[in-house]
Amino acid sequence: MNMEWTDIAAERSVLGGIAPFLAGVVVVAMLIGALWLGARVRAREPRRPHPDEQPRIPEGGPVHEEQLSREPDEIPKSDYRLTPYEVHGNQGTRPSPEKKRPRWGKNSSGGFGSGGLGAH
């Protein structure tokens, strides 16, 4: 029996065991570095607010939703193209004198393509 091949196989098995061990050491070092970096970033953040600094309910109680009817502002007629700043900025609606909210028709669900018969 030739013992030369067993010596070569033994040497390669040692290398085969060292490579995964070194890869594991590198991964662990990277994880430790990530934790260290995260701790440094967290240390620079402002502190968390104490319970007495948390928001409170207003003295008049909780604020409730308010429903208003609104109607769109009309775009002024012009011979040239209007730019956005010429059309009232972001004030696109105004309160409506009509207090009754618009509703959909009796036979209409209000959704396009909802599968209903629609208003006939």
Side-chain angles (χ1 to χ4, degrees):
M1 176 177 226
N2 190 355
M3 296 300 285
E4 234 174 84
W5 291 105
T6 57
D7 291 338
I8 293 173
E11 288 176 13
R12 289 193 179 196
S13 67
V14 170
L15 292 177
I18 291 175
F21 176 74
L22 291 178
V25 169
V26 168
V27 168
V28 168
M30 289 175 59
L31 289 173
I32 291 172
L35 288 173
W36 176 74
L37 183 62
R40 285 187 58 198
V41 169
R42 183 174 254 185
R44 286 185 289 186
E45 292 177 353
R47 68 170 179 78
R48 293 181 178 172
H50 294 293
D52 57 331
E53 297 172 341
Q54 297 293 329
R56 303 276 181 227
I57 295 178
E59 299 212 5
V63 180
H64 296 285
E65 180 180 353
E66 185 176 319
Q67 295 182 351
L68 296 173
S69 293
R70 300 193 64 83
E71 60 185 25
D73 278 342
E74 296 297 325
I75 296 178
K77 300 292 181 190
S78 175
D79 291 340
Y80 62 95
R81 182 177 172 194
L82 297 175
T83 57
Y85 66 87
E86 295 174 317
V87 189
H88 304 296
N90 59 2
Q91 298 278 334
T93 62
R94 63 177 181 270
S96 172
E98 180 69 35
K99 297 297 178 192
K100 185 178 177 188
R101 292 176 49 210
R103 300 288 181 197
W104 295 106
K106 180 180 174 186
N107 294 329
S108 174
S109 68
F112 176 76
S114 61
L117 295 174
H120 286 102

